[in-house]
Amino acid sequence: MRARVLTALVAAASLALTACGGGDDKDSGSGTKTELKLYNDKGAWGPYFEEVGKLSQEQIGIGMKPVGYTDEPTYSAFIKASFRTNNKPDLFTWSTGGRLEEIVESGQVAETTDLWKEAVAAGDLSKELESTYTYNGKQYCVPLNISYWVMFYNKKVFDDNGVKPPTTWAELMASADTLKGKGIKPFYHTSVLFSFVWFQQLLIGTDPELYNKLATGEAKYTDPGVVAVMERWKQMIDGGYFSDPGSKEDPAVQLKTGKTAMGIFGTWFNTSMTQQGMKPGQDYGMFVIPTVTPGSGKNTVAFESGPLCSLAKAPDTASSTKYMKWWVQQPAQEKWANSRGDVSANPKVTIPDPGLATIAKAAGDGEYSLANRYFEAAPAPVLTAALDAFGAFMVDTGSYMKQLQNIQKAADEYWKGR
């Protein structure tokens, strides 16, 4: 069934590309395009992309029109289908880690090594971030965004119930108990796409080294430390600490209404909260999640950096490259990051939101250990199996060993050929 669905998605994407693709190859490399289409899986960010597109038209003579999707599987199929047609996107968003490696190895993505060298030398990108975009010693794509995964919370719910942002895991769970006793679900979680979030958080908060070893195949999903994390997660779900994982209600709405008190998200979620009319620091706040294991050292914070990419055979490679060079510079990043209320990959950008600024500065100063977000850290075939497994686990928590075995089967299959 899954194969038939994927085939249908790819077929639909191919038809869509034929109808509305970014152009053909005959103009490749000409540098004559004055408007580029940026295909993305962030449909809700359309207005912010449009703002940047207006600025780029003013500053470099190349506008940008976003073509946004809200369904990630359909979007992924759409982009992959473009590899086999003459109608290709000028620019597109993707994710780093295994999924980017997959399309780099297929020879489809334009190399950006020279761009990175220039941007690092100019102070527009950090050397530390470069490794996230490096494969076999070369760079591909540039950062679309960078986000740290922290806990967002409803300040009124906290204040009304005498709860404060915690500094230890014990304090976090004590606060959760207080909220649960008042009929409020302490934590948000979902079985769709972001089903990995609590697995990620509990593991980096317990044993970040084990977390990193899973990503490289040096550890197994059936190892005792991973099993212990699943058992803790099971206890929390069975104990009623989480919202309905199958709910279609916007998580920002759940937090705004106080139906749910807290949720783990990338700092990009700031945009979702402000779109609901909530004010940072007044209606909601955010805090770095304490380690689960006391005395285990620095808090480990998951981070993500989503890429902005161009194809090796883009409709106009010169214009696409020119746009990406401009994208990482301070004027573009000031507009892009601050319009959405998020941090920037460009260290020169000033962040006006004090909560975000504090987290970004602390992370930049080394106060936290950083772990690559699971969605990027896991190899693509393993990620696919894991997302399904974690979603199934939320429905039937007693199946956790079966689900871990399913993920490990995918991991064994992937790593045996490496």
Side-chain angles (χ1 to χ4, degrees):
M1 172 65 76
R2 183 172 185 149
R4 290 200 299 272
V5 171
L6 183 56
T7 300
L9 283 172
V10 172
S14 297
L15 288 172
L17 276 165
T18 301
C20 63
D24 56 40
D25 285 341
K26 66 182 180 181
D27 294 324
S28 183
S30 65
T32 58
K33 276 203 165 194
T34 57
E35 182 178 83
L36 303 181
K37 289 183 179 179
L38 193 164
Y39 287 81
N40 65 88
D41 59 350
K42 301 164 183 14
W45 289 5
Y48 309 111
F49 281 120
E50 289 171 1
E51 284 187 41
V52 180
K54 291 176 183 177
L55 183 64
S56 65
Q57 182 67 62
E58 295 171 6
Q59 295 194 345
I60 60 172
I62 303 176
M64 178 268 287
K65 180 180 179 181
V67 182
Y69 282 68
T70 55
D71 181 75
E72 196 278 333
T74 302
Y75 175 73
S76 293
F78 177 89
I79 294 299
K80 289 181 178 180
S82 77
F83 301 162
R84 299 184 296 277
T85 72
N86 287 329
N87 293 291
K88 302 180 184 300
D90 298 303
L91 300 165
F92 66 98
T93 64
W94 203 244
S95 55
T96 52
R99 294 182 76 239
L100 181 56
E101 182 178 6
E102 179 184 28
I103 63 173
V104 166
E105 289 181 346
S106 72
Q108 299 293 339
V109 186
E111 184 186 338
T112 55
T113 302
D114 290 342
L115 192 161
W116 270 89
K117 189 178 296 183
E118 292 175 14
V120 170
D124 289 324
L125 291 174
S126 69
K127 191 69 177 174
E128 290 73 22
L129 189 57
E130 185 179 86
S131 61
T132 305
Y133 290 81
T134 301
Y135 298 94
N136 294 324
K138 298 177 180 179
Q139 285 75 54
Y140 298 87
C141 310
V142 297
L144 174 79
N145 67 314
I146 184 169
S147 288
Y148 302 105
W149 281 67
V150 296
M151 189 76 82
F152 283 76
Y153 68 98
N154 183 308
K155 288 182 71 69
K156 186 175 188 303
V157 168
F158 268 41
D159 291 344
D160 289 350
N161 293 282
V163 172
K164 296 181 179 180
T167 58
T168 66
W169 184 260
E171 288 178 3
L172 176 63
M173 294 309 297
S175 296
D177 286 332
T178 297
L179 295 166
K180 191 158 65 83
K182 299 293 181 64
I184 301 166
K185 289 295 182 183
F187 305 118
Y188 171 84
H189 73 168
T190 178
S191 59
V192 180
L193 188 59
F194 287 156
S195 60
F196 66 88
V197 170
W198 276 89
F199 173 80
Q200 166 188 279
Q201 189 60 48
L202 290 172
L203 188 50
I204 65 174
T206 304
D207 191 341
E209 185 178 354
L210 177 58
Y211 175 84
N212 291 330
K213 285 182 176 179
L214 280 183
T216 57
E218 299 173 76
K220 293 183 178 294
Y221 284 84
T222 50
D223 285 351
V226 183
V227 174
V229 161
M230 293 299 287
E231 289 174 343
R232 182 185 291 273
W233 192 8
K234 177 183 185 302
Q235 291 171 359
M236 292 175 69
I237 294 174
D238 293 347
Y241 288 93
F242 291 104
S243 63
D244 175 9
S247 173
K248 299 289 193 276
E249 187 176 27
D250 189 318
V253 173
Q254 291 191 38
L255 264 67
K256 178 180 180 178
T257 59
K259 184 183 296 185
T260 306
M262 294 175 269
I264 302 174
F265 297 97
T267 47
W268 47 259
F269 190 67
N270 218 35
T271 307
S272 298
M273 298 294 274
T274 57
Q275 284 178 334
Q276 289 297 324
M278 301 184 76
K279 295 180 179 179
Q282 180 176 318
D283 299 318
Y284 70 94
M286 59 192 83
F287 59 84
V288 170
I289 303 154
T291 58
V292 178
T293 308
S296 58
K298 294 180 181 179
N299 286 354
T300 300
V301 177
F303 85 100
E304 63 174 295
S305 181
L308 174 66
C309 304
S310 175
L311 293 176
K313 293 183 178 180
D316 187 332
T317 53
S319 293
S320 294
T321 299
K322 182 177 181 180
Y323 201 93
M324 289 196 293
K325 284 184 177 181
W326 174 82
W327 177 270
V328 301
Q329 295 171 17
Q330 188 173 357
Q333 285 301 300
E334 292 278 7
K335 171 67 73 175
W336 173 241
N338 291 331
S339 66
R340 294 180 300 108
D342 201 356
V343 296
S344 172
N346 187 317
K348 298 176 183 176
V349 172
T350 300
I351 305 167
D353 182 318
L356 281 178
T358 298
I359 289 171
K361 185 177 187 305
D365 290 347
E367 289 184 28
Y368 312 126
S369 298
L370 297 179
N372 202 13
R373 186 176 71 152
Y374 184 80
F375 199 87
E376 287 76 34
V382 180
L383 174 67
T384 299
L387 294 179
D388 287 346
F390 295 145
F393 160 73
M394 290 182 195
V395 176
D396 177 12
T397 58
S399 70
Y400 66 93
M401 276 306 304
K402 174 186 175 183
Q403 305 306 335
L404 289 176
Q405 289 164 358
N406 288 342
I407 305 172
Q408 187 55 44
K409 182 178 178 181
D412 288 339
E413 183 66 25
Y414 176 82
W415 291 112
K416 76 177 181 181
R418 296 279 158 168

